[in-house]
Amino acid sequence: MIEENKNDMPTINWFPGHMAKARRLIQDNLKLVDVVVELLDARIPLSSANPMLADLIVDKPHMIALNKADLADQIATKEWIHYFNQKNIPAVAIDSMTGKGMKLLLKTIDELAKEKVNKLVSKGVNARSARVMILGIPNVGKSSLINRLAGAAIAKTADKPGVTRAKQWIKIGKNLDLLDTPGVLWPKFEDMQVGLKLAFTGAINDEVYDMEKVMNIFLETMIQYYPERLIERYKLQSDLLKNSSEVLQAIARKRGCLLKGGIIDEEKARRIILNEFRNGKLGLITLDRINSI
């Protein structure tokens, strides 16, 4: 659902009923696991972090996996890993589609779980596999990660957010039991920019927000941080990068997004730009920056 605020900034509020159910499911099952892996989108590490999770997992060993690192600015990703490490939260960059970073991810999970497992053994309990829960907002790549770790398409995947619904345990090798749970998204975005960045990356269904206003802001962001990517991808003249409207029209002409009478099909152009960003065709881009915290 989109609301308008005083600054004409599109406000995105989206909290389907299954999200509330997912939170209860996580609360009920946290006691079963030894380690929590929070999966974030490497392009928006801050915006894809769910504020509710910090309260939920406060007493559990916790690490962060920055997924889709193959689509993110590598320098920015290293800065984010350093940022989380400074907060004593282990963080690794991964790509669940290619398997990059999986060994380091599993090694870090194992190290975090050792204390709990060893404590059980000291009490006379037979050694068992480490139990892990992966948490993340919809469409951050949880199902793809689980499939990669399991080596088979066990978890259901889709391009649209919110596909995973029910709890399931998945055996990963000999030493890891993985508890999958639905992604959780918070009920209200206190920072409007957070909602917008989630819309950019596809964490929110495209049907629930105003594409025109969101894409205007996306283009303004690109003009500010990555103007060279627009120039390279769409063969634009640098003097055109003055505002989002001019850039959109220039891209539309370059891509032949024209209706009868030579009228520019702006909606088609917006879809092209958004899809190319999501598919990495605009280059390696990180929209959340350390210096913005």
Side-chain angles (χ1 to χ4, degrees):
M1 180 176 66
I2 288 284
E3 298 176 356
E4 298 297 331
N5 64 17
K6 294 180 180 179
N7 298 320
D8 201 31
M9 173 79 75
T11 304
I12 305 172
N13 291 305
W14 189 59
F15 195 56
H18 74 266
M19 297 293 181
K21 182 179 179 181
R23 174 174 178 165
R24 292 193 297 270
L25 182 65
I26 289 170
Q27 288 177 311
D28 291 342
N29 288 281
L30 268 173
K31 60 182 178 292
L32 302 177
V33 303
D34 307 315
V35 177
V36 173
V37 177
E38 184 178 7
L39 193 63
L40 304 179
D41 188 323
R43 297 167 297 177
I44 51 169
L46 192 62
S47 300
S48 59
N50 188 324
M52 293 191 301
L53 295 184
D55 294 331
L56 292 174
I57 64 177
V58 62
D59 295 324
K60 292 288 179 180
H62 168 218
M63 70 167 293
I64 285 173
L66 295 172
N67 196 26
K68 305 184 182 182
D70 59 314
L71 300 175
D73 185 320
Q74 295 180 3
I75 294 176
T77 297
K78 290 179 181 178
E79 292 175 347
W80 277 109
I81 289 175
H82 178 71
Y83 169 81
F84 290 121
N85 288 340
Q86 289 290 101
K87 291 181 171 293
N88 295 317
I89 303 174
V92 300
I94 66 170
D95 175 11
S96 60
M97 299 305 293
T98 65
K100 181 180 179 181
M102 293 300 111
K103 289 184 178 179
L104 182 56
L105 172 65
L106 291 173
K107 179 182 178 182
T108 306
I109 292 173
D110 183 60
E111 291 173 351
L112 289 173
K114 275 183 180 178
E115 182 178 353
K116 175 65 177 292
V117 174
N118 290 342
K119 186 177 295 185
L120 291 173
V121 172
S122 69
K123 294 181 179 179
V125 179
N126 291 333
R128 61 164 173 76
S129 299
R131 295 173 180 173
V132 183
M133 178 186 288
I134 294 181
L135 300 178
I137 66 171
N139 213 35
V140 76
K142 279 194 324 95
S143 295
S144 296
L145 173 58
I146 292 166
N147 290 341
R148 170 62 58 176
L149 292 174
I154 294 174
K156 187 182 295 184
T157 61
D159 292 334
K160 292 187 176 181
V163 169
T164 307
R165 292 290 188 270
K167 176 184 74 173
Q168 55 182 330
W169 283 99
I170 300 169
K171 188 71 176 177
I172 308 293
K174 296 181 179 179
N175 301 315
L176 181 62
D177 290 330
L178 187 63
L179 176 60
D180 179 38
T181 54
V184 180
L185 197 64
W186 53 105
K188 183 176 178 61
F189 308 117
E190 295 180 0
D191 183 347
M192 305 310 164
Q193 292 292 333
V194 169
L196 293 171
K197 290 171 184 175
L198 291 170
F200 299 157
T201 58
I204 299 172
N205 279 315
D206 292 339
E207 291 81 6
V208 303
Y209 61 85
D210 187 322
M211 176 67 73
E212 179 180 352
K213 291 183 178 179
V214 167
M215 284 307 296
N216 283 347
I217 294 170
F218 173 76
L219 286 173
E220 293 291 351
T221 302
M222 289 295 295
I223 291 169
Q224 179 179 359
Y225 291 111
Y226 297 101
E228 72 282 357
R229 304 290 170 79
L230 295 173
I231 293 171
E232 293 170 6
R233 182 65 186 174
Y234 302 110
K235 311 301 181 186
L236 304 179
Q237 297 296 322
S238 59
D239 59 357
L240 287 175
L241 302 184
K242 298 176 181 178
N243 58 65
S244 60
S245 179
E246 289 187 19
V247 170
L248 179 65
Q249 291 187 30
I251 293 174
R253 293 190 186 94
K254 289 285 186 178
R255 289 301 178 88
C257 300
L258 301 174
L259 300 170
K260 289 184 179 180
I263 299 174
I264 292 177
D265 188 343
E266 293 190 350
E267 181 178 355
K268 183 178 180 180
R270 291 187 191 100
R271 294 286 179 183
I272 288 174
I273 298 167
L274 184 59
N275 288 334
E276 293 195 345
F277 162 68
R278 291 176 179 174
N279 294 330
K281 293 181 179 179
L282 288 181
L284 306 181
I285 293 171
T286 297
L287 298 175
D288 279 342
R289 300 302 190 94
I290 293 291
N291 58 14
S292 66
I293 299 176

PDB file of all heavy atoms in Angstrom, residues 13-33:
ATOM      1  N   ASN A  13       3.803   0.843   2.982  1.00  0.00           N
ATOM      2  CA  ASN A  13       3.415   0.052   4.140  1.00  0.00           C
ATOM      3  C   ASN A  13       2.911  -1.291   3.635  1.00  0.00           C
ATOM      4  O   ASN A  13       1.941  -1.341   2.895  1.00  0.00           O
ATOM      5  CB  ASN A  13       2.305   0.751   4.938  1.00  0.00           C
ATOM      6  CG  ASN A  13       2.819   1.997   5.623  1.00  0.00           C
ATOM      7  OD1 ASN A  13       3.775   1.942   6.371  1.00  0.00           O
ATOM      8  ND2 ASN A  13       2.187   3.121   5.348  1.00  0.00           N
ATOM      9  N   TRP A  14       3.579  -2.368   4.047  1.00  0.00           N
ATOM     10  CA  TRP A  14       3.208  -3.675   3.523  1.00  0.00           C
ATOM     11  C   TRP A  14       3.478  -4.723   4.585  1.00  0.00           C
ATOM     12  O   TRP A  14       4.615  -5.025   4.894  1.00  0.00           O
ATOM     13  CB  TRP A  14       4.023  -3.979   2.268  1.00  0.00           C
ATOM     14  CG  TRP A  14       3.553  -5.198   1.557  1.00  0.00           C
ATOM     15  CD1 TRP A  14       2.312  -5.423   1.041  1.00  0.00           C
ATOM     16  CD2 TRP A  14       4.316  -6.360   1.267  1.00  0.00           C
ATOM     17  NE1 TRP A  14       2.254  -6.658   0.453  1.00  0.00           N
ATOM     18  CE2 TRP A  14       3.471  -7.249   0.571  1.00  0.00           C
ATOM     19  CE3 TRP A  14       5.632  -6.748   1.525  1.00  0.00           C
ATOM     20  CZ2 TRP A  14       3.903  -8.497   0.130  1.00  0.00           C
ATOM     21  CZ3 TRP A  14       6.060  -7.989   1.078  1.00  0.00           C
ATOM     22  CH2 TRP A  14       5.204  -8.839   0.387  1.00  0.00           C
ATOM     23  N   PHE A  15       2.428  -5.265   5.155  1.00  0.00           N
ATOM     24  CA  PHE A  15       2.588  -6.241   6.231  1.00  0.00           C
ATOM     25  C   PHE A  15       1.484  -7.282   6.121  1.00  0.00           C
ATOM     26  O   PHE A  15       0.539  -7.292   6.890  1.00  0.00           O
ATOM     27  CB  PHE A  15       2.531  -5.536   7.588  1.00  0.00           C
ATOM     28  CG  PHE A  15       3.048  -6.389   8.711  1.00  0.00           C
ATOM     29  CD1 PHE A  15       4.322  -6.926   8.673  1.00  0.00           C
ATOM     30  CD2 PHE A  15       2.257  -6.634   9.820  1.00  0.00           C
ATOM     31  CE1 PHE A  15       4.808  -7.692   9.719  1.00  0.00           C
ATOM     32  CE2 PHE A  15       2.729  -7.396  10.874  1.00  0.00           C
ATOM     33  CZ  PHE A  15       4.009  -7.924  10.828  1.00  0.00           C
ATOM     34  N   PRO A  16       1.570  -8.184   5.127  1.00  0.00           N
ATOM     35  CA  PRO A  16       0.565  -9.225   4.962  1.00  0.00           C
ATOM     36  C   PRO A  16       0.441 -10.068   6.221  1.00  0.00           C
ATOM     37  O   PRO A  16       1.377 -10.186   7.009  1.00  0.00           O
ATOM     38  CB  PRO A  16       1.112 -10.049   3.789  1.00  0.00           C
ATOM     39  CG  PRO A  16       2.021  -9.128   3.068  1.00  0.00           C
ATOM     40  CD  PRO A  16       2.622  -8.242   4.116  1.00  0.00           C
ATOM     41  N   GLY A  17      -0.714 -10.699   6.380  1.00  0.00           N
ATOM     42  CA  GLY A  17      -0.973 -11.500   7.575  1.00  0.00           C
ATOM     43  C   GLY A  17       0.041 -12.601   7.792  1.00  0.00           C
ATOM     44  O   GLY A  17       0.384 -12.919   8.933  1.00  0.00           O
ATOM     45  N   HIS A  18       0.560 -13.180   6.690  1.00  0.00           N
ATOM     46  CA  HIS A  18       1.508 -14.279   6.873  1.00  0.00           C
ATOM     47  C   HIS A  18       2.820 -13.810   7.477  1.00  0.00           C
ATOM     48  O   HIS A  18       3.578 -14.596   8.029  1.00  0.00           O
ATOM     49  CB  HIS A  18       1.746 -15.022   5.557  1.00  0.00           C
ATOM     50  CG  HIS A  18       2.583 -14.292   4.561  1.00  0.00           C
ATOM     51  ND1 HIS A  18       2.040 -13.510   3.566  1.00  0.00           N
ATOM     52  CD2 HIS A  18       3.932 -14.227   4.388  1.00  0.00           C
ATOM     53  CE1 HIS A  18       3.009 -13.006   2.826  1.00  0.00           C
ATOM     54  NE2 HIS A  18       4.157 -13.419   3.301  1.00  0.00           N
ATOM     55  N   MET A  19       3.101 -12.502   7.398  1.00  0.00           N
ATOM     56  CA  MET A  19       4.312 -11.981   8.011  1.00  0.00           C
ATOM     57  C   MET A  19       4.216 -12.027   9.536  1.00  0.00           C
ATOM     58  O   MET A  19       5.164 -12.361  10.230  1.00  0.00           O
ATOM     59  CB  MET A  19       4.567 -10.551   7.548  1.00  0.00           C
ATOM     60  CG  MET A  19       4.821 -10.406   6.060  1.00  0.00           C
ATOM     61  SD  MET A  19       6.364 -11.188   5.560  1.00  0.00           S
ATOM     62  CE  MET A  19       6.334 -10.781   3.807  1.00  0.00           C
ATOM     63  N   ALA A  20       3.046 -11.666  10.056  1.00  0.00           N
ATOM     64  CA  ALA A  20       2.844 -11.728  11.504  1.00  0.00           C
ATOM     65  C   ALA A  20       2.943 -13.168  11.985  1.00  0.00           C
ATOM     66  O   ALA A  20       3.527 -13.459  13.040  1.00  0.00           O
ATOM     67  CB  ALA A  20       1.481 -11.134  11.857  1.00  0.00           C
ATOM     68  N   LYS A  21       2.400 -14.074  11.201  1.00  0.00           N
ATOM     69  CA  LYS A  21       2.474 -15.497  11.533  1.00  0.00           C
ATOM     70  C   LYS A  21       3.923 -15.970  11.526  1.00  0.00           C
ATOM     71  O   LYS A  21       4.345 -16.761  12.371  1.00  0.00           O
ATOM     72  CB  LYS A  21       1.648 -16.301  10.532  1.00  0.00           C
ATOM     73  CG  LYS A  21       1.626 -17.796  10.809  1.00  0.00           C
ATOM     74  CD  LYS A  21       0.776 -18.509   9.778  1.00  0.00           C
ATOM     75  CE  LYS A  21       0.768 -20.024  10.029  1.00  0.00           C
ATOM     76  NZ  LYS A  21      -0.035 -20.743   9.006  1.00  0.00           N
ATOM     77  N   ALA A  22       4.706 -15.464  10.574  1.00  0.00           N
ATOM     78  CA  ALA A  22       6.114 -15.844  10.477  1.00  0.00           C
ATOM     79  C   ALA A  22       6.881 -15.396  11.717  1.00  0.00           C
ATOM     80  O   ALA A  22       7.732 -16.133  12.223  1.00  0.00           O
ATOM     81  CB  ALA A  22       6.738 -15.227   9.230  1.00  0.00           C
ATOM     82  N   ARG A  23       6.570 -14.218  12.213  1.00  0.00           N
ATOM     83  CA  ARG A  23       7.265 -13.744  13.415  1.00  0.00           C
ATOM     84  C   ARG A  23       6.971 -14.665  14.599  1.00  0.00           C
ATOM     85  O   ARG A  23       7.881 -15.020  15.358  1.00  0.00           O
ATOM     86  CB  ARG A  23       6.832 -12.315  13.737  1.00  0.00           C
ATOM     87  CG  ARG A  23       7.422 -11.824  15.054  1.00  0.00           C
ATOM     88  CD  ARG A  23       7.134 -10.371  15.324  1.00  0.00           C
ATOM     89  NE  ARG A  23       7.671  -9.977  16.617  1.00  0.00           N
ATOM     90  CZ  ARG A  23       7.823  -8.721  17.014  1.00  0.00           C
ATOM     91  NH1 ARG A  23       7.518  -7.745  16.199  1.00  0.00           N
ATOM     92  NH2 ARG A  23       8.296  -8.443  18.207  1.00  0.00           N
ATOM     93  N   ARG A  24       5.716 -15.055  14.755  1.00  0.00           N
ATOM     94  CA  ARG A  24       5.365 -15.970  15.849  1.00  0.00           C
ATOM     95  C   ARG A  24       6.074 -17.307  15.678  1.00  0.00           C
ATOM     96  O   ARG A  24       6.519 -17.912  16.660  1.00  0.00           O
ATOM     97  CB  ARG A  24       3.851 -16.165  15.893  1.00  0.00           C
ATOM     98  CG  ARG A  24       3.070 -14.928  16.319  1.00  0.00           C
ATOM     99  CD  ARG A  24       1.629 -15.262  16.657  1.00  0.00           C
ATOM    100  NE  ARG A  24       0.919 -15.778  15.489  1.00  0.00           N
ATOM    101  CZ  ARG A  24       0.260 -15.004  14.624  1.00  0.00           C
ATOM    102  NH1 ARG A  24       0.254 -13.685  14.797  1.00  0.00           N
ATOM    103  NH2 ARG A  24      -0.371 -15.536  13.604  1.00  0.00           N
ATOM    104  N   LEU A  25       6.191 -17.761  14.432  1.00  0.00           N
ATOM    105  CA  LEU A  25       6.863 -19.026  14.160  1.00  0.00           C
ATOM    106  C   LEU A  25       8.325 -18.967  14.563  1.00  0.00           C
ATOM    107  O   LEU A  25       8.874 -19.899  15.155  1.00  0.00           O
ATOM    108  CB  LEU A  25       6.733 -19.363  12.671  1.00  0.00           C
ATOM    109  CG  LEU A  25       7.330 -20.691  12.194  1.00  0.00           C
ATOM    110  CD1 LEU A  25       6.588 -21.858  12.820  1.00  0.00           C
ATOM    111  CD2 LEU A  25       7.278 -20.788  10.682  1.00  0.00           C
ATOM    112  N   ILE A  26       8.962 -17.847  14.262  1.00  0.00           N
ATOM    113  CA  ILE A  26      10.366 -17.672  14.625  1.00  0.00           C
ATOM    114  C   ILE A  26      10.529 -17.663  16.141  1.00  0.00           C
ATOM    115  O   ILE A  26      11.413 -18.322  16.696  1.00  0.00           O
ATOM    116  CB  ILE A  26      10.919 -16.368  14.018  1.00  0.00           C
ATOM    117  CG1 ILE A  26      11.057 -16.520  12.501  1.00  0.00           C
ATOM    118  CG2 ILE A  26      12.269 -16.008  14.636  1.00  0.00           C
ATOM    119  CD1 ILE A  26      11.363 -15.222  11.785  1.00  0.00           C
ATOM    120  N   GLN A  27       9.671 -16.917  16.835  1.00  0.00           N
ATOM    121  CA  GLN A  27       9.743 -16.863  18.289  1.00  0.00           C
ATOM    122  C   GLN A  27       9.581 -18.240  18.912  1.00  0.00           C
ATOM    123  O   GLN A  27      10.274 -18.603  19.860  1.00  0.00           O
ATOM    124  CB  GLN A  27       8.656 -15.925  18.821  1.00  0.00           C
ATOM    125  CG  GLN A  27       8.935 -14.448  18.555  1.00  0.00           C
ATOM    126  CD  GLN A  27       7.805 -13.557  19.018  1.00  0.00           C
ATOM    127  OE1 GLN A  27       6.640 -13.805  18.720  1.00  0.00           O
ATOM    128  NE2 GLN A  27       8.141 -12.507  19.759  1.00  0.00           N
ATOM    129  N   ASP A  28       8.681 -19.028  18.347  1.00  0.00           N
ATOM    130  CA  ASP A  28       8.399 -20.360  18.889  1.00  0.00           C
ATOM    131  C   ASP A  28       9.546 -21.332  18.656  1.00  0.00           C
ATOM    132  O   ASP A  28       9.723 -22.280  19.428  1.00  0.00           O
ATOM    133  CB  ASP A  28       7.123 -20.934  18.255  1.00  0.00           C
ATOM    134  CG  ASP A  28       5.867 -20.187  18.685  1.00  0.00           C
ATOM    135  OD1 ASP A  28       5.933 -19.472  19.708  1.00  0.00           O
ATOM    136  OD2 ASP A  28       4.842 -20.307  17.988  1.00  0.00           O
ATOM    137  N   ASN A  29      10.345 -21.118  17.620  1.00  0.00           N
ATOM    138  CA  ASN A  29      11.363 -22.098  17.240  1.00  0.00           C
ATOM    139  C   ASN A  29      12.793 -21.675  17.537  1.00  0.00           C
ATOM    140  O   ASN A  29      13.706 -22.475  17.352  1.00  0.00           O
ATOM    141  CB  ASN A  29      11.225 -22.424  15.750  1.00  0.00           C
ATOM    142  CG  ASN A  29       9.995 -23.260  15.447  1.00  0.00           C
ATOM    143  OD1 ASN A  29       9.974 -24.470  15.651  1.00  0.00           O
ATOM    144  ND2 ASN A  29       8.949 -22.607  14.974  1.00  0.00           N
ATOM    145  N   LEU A  30      12.987 -20.451  18.010  1.00  0.00           N
ATOM    146  CA  LEU A  30      14.344 -20.002  18.318  1.00  0.00           C
ATOM    147  C   LEU A  30      15.015 -20.888  19.368  1.00  0.00           C
ATOM    148  O   LEU A  30      16.221 -21.115  19.322  1.00  0.00           O
ATOM    149  CB  LEU A  30      14.320 -18.553  18.811  1.00  0.00           C
ATOM    150  CG  LEU A  30      14.510 -17.477  17.737  1.00  0.00           C
ATOM    151  CD1 LEU A  30      14.283 -16.101  18.322  1.00  0.00           C
ATOM    152  CD2 LEU A  30      15.900 -17.566  17.109  1.00  0.00           C
ATOM    153  N   LYS A  31      14.221 -21.412  20.292  1.00  0.00           N
ATOM    154  CA  LYS A  31      14.802 -22.234  21.351  1.00  0.00           C
ATOM    155  C   LYS A  31      15.368 -23.552  20.823  1.00  0.00           C
ATOM    156  O   LYS A  31      16.124 -24.238  21.526  1.00  0.00           O
ATOM    157  CB  LYS A  31      13.745 -22.531  22.416  1.00  0.00           C
ATOM    158  CG  LYS A  31      12.529 -23.268  21.916  1.00  0.00           C
ATOM    159  CD  LYS A  31      11.521 -23.467  23.036  1.00  0.00           C
ATOM    160  CE  LYS A  31      10.254 -24.176  22.549  1.00  0.00           C
ATOM    161  NZ  LYS A  31       9.482 -23.308  21.620  1.00  0.00           N
ATOM    162  N   LEU A  32      15.040 -23.903  19.593  1.00  0.00           N
ATOM    163  CA  LEU A  32      15.500 -25.159  19.013  1.00  0.00           C
ATOM    164  C   LEU A  32      16.854 -25.042  18.334  1.00  0.00           C
ATOM    165  O   LEU A  32      17.465 -26.056  17.993  1.00  0.00           O
ATOM    166  CB  LEU A  32      14.483 -25.671  17.984  1.00  0.00           C
ATOM    167  CG  LEU A  32      13.052 -25.910  18.476  1.00  0.00           C
ATOM    168  CD1 LEU A  32      12.170 -26.331  17.301  1.00  0.00           C
ATOM    169  CD2 LEU A  32      13.024 -26.962  19.570  1.00  0.00           C
ATOM    170  N   VAL A  33      17.331 -23.804  18.095  1.00  0.00           N
ATOM    171  CA  VAL A  33      18.542 -23.632  17.301  1.00  0.00           C
ATOM    172  C   VAL A  33      19.712 -23.086  18.115  1.00  0.00           C
ATOM    173  O   VAL A  33      19.529 -22.511  19.193  1.00  0.00           O
ATOM    174  CB  VAL A  33      18.282 -22.701  16.089  1.00  0.00           C
ATOM    175  CG1 VAL A  33      17.151 -23.252  15.229  1.00  0.00           C
ATOM    176  CG2 VAL A  33      17.963 -21.287  16.541  1.00  0.00           C
TER     177      VAL A  33
END
